[in-house]
Amino acid sequence: MTPMKEDYLKIIFELGGTKKKVSNKQIALSLDIAAGSVTEMVGKLVQEGLAKHTPYAGISLTKKGIRYAETLVRKHRIWEDFLVDKLHYGLPDVHSEAEVLEHVTSERLVDSLEAFLGNPTHCPHGGAIPDKEGHYQEDSHTSLADSQDGDEVAIERFIDNHDLLMYLHDIDLQIGQDVTVMKHDPFEGPVTIEVKATGQKIPVSYKAAHNVFVK
Amino acid sequence: MTPMKEDYLKIIFELGGTKKKVSNKQIALSLDIAAGSVTEMVGKLVQEGLAKHTPYAGISLTKKGIRYAETLVRKHRIWEDFLVDKLHYGLPDVHSEAEVLEHVTSERLVDSLEAFLGNPTHCPHGGAIPDKEGHYQEDSHTSLADSQDGDEVAIERFIDNHDLLMYLHDIDLQIGQDVTVMKHDPFEGPVTIEVKATGQKIPVSYKAAHNVFVK
DNA sequence: ATTAACGTTTAGGCAACTCAAAATGTCAAA
DNA sequence: TTTGACATTTTGAGTTGCCTAAACGTTAAT
């Protein structure tokens, strides 16, 4: 197993390849790799029993592929937790470091790290960390944009994107905050929320609101 | 810069390429790579200004190459310290983990780790850790085998080899112990030492004694 | 001074992963 | 149902780093 194969596996997983079929183009765009190369690489994953591929229809993961992708997500998120908790990295900076560390992390290392960190259940962006056996609670899929005016919700999870995280940091929106949804402006305008603890009112841009998940 | 180039650089450094010329064969043997491949790779290092190569005479590092190799040693040893100190790895097990982690470690990450660990000066095997600017105290080059009967010395450094470290752990010899050298048996027999703190007498095999350094 | 032994370099190939461009498939609008 | 737009696969070729085998240098012993 090579780092690149692992990246393919993880991106298919993240694009929803556990349930539906993911298109060649989605993968090519996400990894910034030519479509032809994707077809070829997917062929290898299929040979190794990690993915299923119906030509022209799409790609999905086998049980074995899902299992493998979960171990990668586990490593990635454990490292992110370590970087924030122990090395005091900022949220926007952890992703790129974890991205390379995850590929050189043995089972023993990730297990040791997990114990050292006190068995965290969620990464700093709010994503669930699969345990050693691959068990984890499903992440929320209700975005702030989906919520209704008047809803009282908790900020649960951010999409792990550098620019988004910089923006959220600027406007002081954090995981775990309990907020009240005040109003949705029309024409793709901001969603305004009020942080319960401080009474602070925050307008969250339309696009960002689609990348913040609540429960 | 690729992981393999980094490995070449580090092995040339460790074989003494900072001062003398290192032979193609030494590198090939150390990395377990064919001699022809070594010539080729060295050519690339030369092109990048990291090494000097006089055909048929040998290979040495440029100032730039030395500087780079030091950053690798720094990363390697910082990781080793982390693994032993925070994750409670045993001495013999840290090398292989550090070997891969060092290649994916940014300057920011190694600096953060160093601070987190309290700016250690030596790795768990007793080797000096170069600081951010590349400064470090030269390691001792006096082996236990070189010492004289009656000498009172401190165990400073072990060569980082898995089997050796397993053996040293078995016979309970540790970095930092103050010991008295009792006798050198002839015919490549063991060197017997007495640990001052406990009065324990330990015979150290001839070969191991050549891989334990004291001061 | 030759030659044998051994280290080193060169040459030709292979495997992994990539790309660009050509060929093919799909689907929906005209 | 034909055509155009676009996604997908196929093809041919480039890069990196490795290998084996052959050619070449060096050195030390005869």
Side-chain angles (χ1 to χ4, degrees):
Chain A
M1 183 56 72
T2 70
M4 277 320 298
K5 277 187 203 164
E6 292 189 345
D7 283 343
Y8 275 88
L9 222 44
K10 213 179 57 163
I11 212 72
I12 298 169
F13 180 86
E14 280 162 6
L15 290 172
T18 54
K19 297 165 185 165
K20 48 180 181 171
K21 289 189 186 306
V22 170
S23 76
N24 179 310
K25 192 180 190 185
Q26 276 182 289
I27 299 171
L29 248 39
S30 306
L31 293 178
D32 195 23
I33 277 176
S37 310
V38 171
T39 306
E40 197 169 303
M41 193 73 224
V42 165
K44 289 180 193 166
L45 294 179
V46 169
Q47 279 197 331
E48 292 172 41
L50 296 164
K52 278 177 294 231
H53 182 201
T54 316
Y56 296 101
I59 297 120
S60 60
L61 296 181
T62 62
K63 198 155 272 175
K64 188 176 161 193
I66 293 170
R67 193 68 191 73
Y68 196 107
E70 281 166 355
T71 71
L72 292 172
V73 170
R74 168 171 159 76
K75 289 171 186 177
H76 185 97
R77 293 184 173 174
I78 290 273
W79 274 119
E80 289 191 335
D81 192 61
F82 171 73
L83 292 171
V84 168
D85 224 58
K86 301 295 182 182
L87 302 193
H88 313 303
Y89 268 62
L91 265 213
D93 302 336
V94 297
H95 182 75
S96 57
E97 297 273 15
E99 197 63 27
V100 291
L101 285 166
E102 68 182 15
H103 296 298
V104 293
T105 302
S106 66
E107 295 314 306
R108 175 175 177 185
L109 179 52
V110 68
D111 291 346
S112 301
L113 269 171
E114 182 181 42
F116 177 61
L117 297 171
N119 302 297
T121 58
H122 291 78
C123 80
H125 310 99
I129 300 177
D131 69 15
K132 215 185 241 194
E133 281 74 39
H135 304 132
Y136 58 100
Q137 321 160 217
E138 189 63 40
D139 294 329
S140 159
H141 291 287
T142 310
S143 78
L144 185 55
D146 297 335
S147 67
Q148 300 302 311
D149 290 350
D151 282 359
E152 308 204 340
V153 299
I155 305 298
E156 182 186 299
R157 182 168 66 95
F158 299 149
I159 291 294
D160 193 351
N161 170 92
H162 186 269
D163 292 341
L164 172 70
L165 294 168
M166 290 292 288
Y167 170 71
L168 295 176
H169 180 262
D170 281 352
I171 65 174
D172 212 32
L173 189 64
Q174 289 157 35
I175 302 282
Q177 285 174 325
D178 290 313
V179 306
T180 307
V181 181
M182 307 295 284
K183 67 167 176 169
H184 286 64
D185 279 1
F187 295 105
E188 307 198 348
V191 177
T192 303
I193 59 174
E194 179 175 309
V195 178
K196 281 191 188 168
T198 63
Q200 191 184 187
K201 287 194 177 65
I202 305 178
V204 180
S205 88
Y206 177 83
K207 197 173 169 192
H210 277 276
N211 289 289
V212 170
F213 297 89
V214 301
K215 79 162 168 279
Chain B
M1 182 58 71
T2 70
M4 277 320 297
K5 279 187 200 163
E6 293 189 344
D7 282 343
Y8 275 88
L9 222 45
K10 213 179 56 161
I11 211 71
I12 297 169
F13 180 85
E14 280 163 5
L15 290 172
T18 53
K19 297 166 188 168
K20 45 179 184 173
K21 289 188 184 310
V22 170
S23 75
N24 179 309
K25 192 178 188 185
Q26 277 181 289
I27 301 171
L29 248 39
S30 306
L31 293 177
D32 197 22
I33 277 176
S37 310
V38 171
T39 305
E40 196 168 304
M41 194 72 226
V42 165
K44 290 180 192 165
L45 294 179
V46 168
Q47 280 198 331
E48 293 173 40
L50 296 164
K52 278 177 294 232
H53 182 200
T54 316
Y56 295 103
I59 296 120
S60 60
L61 297 181
T62 61
K63 199 154 270 175
K64 188 175 162 195
I66 293 170
R67 193 69 192 74
Y68 196 108
E70 281 166 355
T71 71
L72 293 171
V73 169
R74 169 171 159 77
K75 289 171 185 175
H76 185 98
R77 293 185 173 172
I78 290 273
W79 275 118
E80 288 191 335
D81 192 62
F82 171 73
L83 292 170
V84 168
D85 224 60
K86 302 294 184 185
L87 302 193
H88 312 303
Y89 269 62
L91 265 213
D93 302 336
V94 297
H95 182 75
S96 57
E97 298 273 15
E99 197 63 27
V100 292
L101 287 166
E102 67 183 15
H103 297 298
V104 294
T105 304
S106 67
E107 296 313 308
R108 175 174 180 186
L109 178 52
V110 68
D111 292 345
S112 301
L113 268 171
E114 182 181 41
F116 177 60
L117 297 171
N119 301 296
T121 59
H122 291 78
C123 80
H125 309 100
I129 300 177
D131 69 16
K132 217 186 243 194
E133 280 74 39
H135 303 133
Y136 58 101
Q137 321 160 218
E138 188 63 38
D139 293 330
S140 160
H141 290 290
T142 310
S143 78
L144 186 54
D146 296 335
S147 66
Q148 300 301 310
D149 289 351
D151 284 358
E152 307 203 340
V153 299
I155 304 299
E156 183 187 297
R157 182 169 66 96
F158 299 151
I159 292 292
D160 194 350
N161 171 94
H162 186 268
D163 291 341
L164 172 70
L165 293 168
M166 290 292 288
Y167 170 70
L168 294 176
H169 180 261
D170 280 353
I171 65 174
D172 212 30
L173 189 65
Q174 290 159 30
I175 302 282
Q177 285 174 325
D178 291 313
V179 305
T180 306
V181 181
M182 307 297 282
K183 66 167 177 169
H184 287 63
D185 279 2
F187 296 105
E188 308 198 347
V191 177
T192 304
I193 61 176
E194 181 177 305
V195 179
K196 280 191 187 167
T198 63
Q200 191 185 186
K201 289 194 177 62
I202 306 177
V204 181
S205 89
Y206 177 84
K207 197 172 167 190
H210 277 274
N211 289 289
V212 171
F213 298 88
V214 301
K215 75 160 172 284

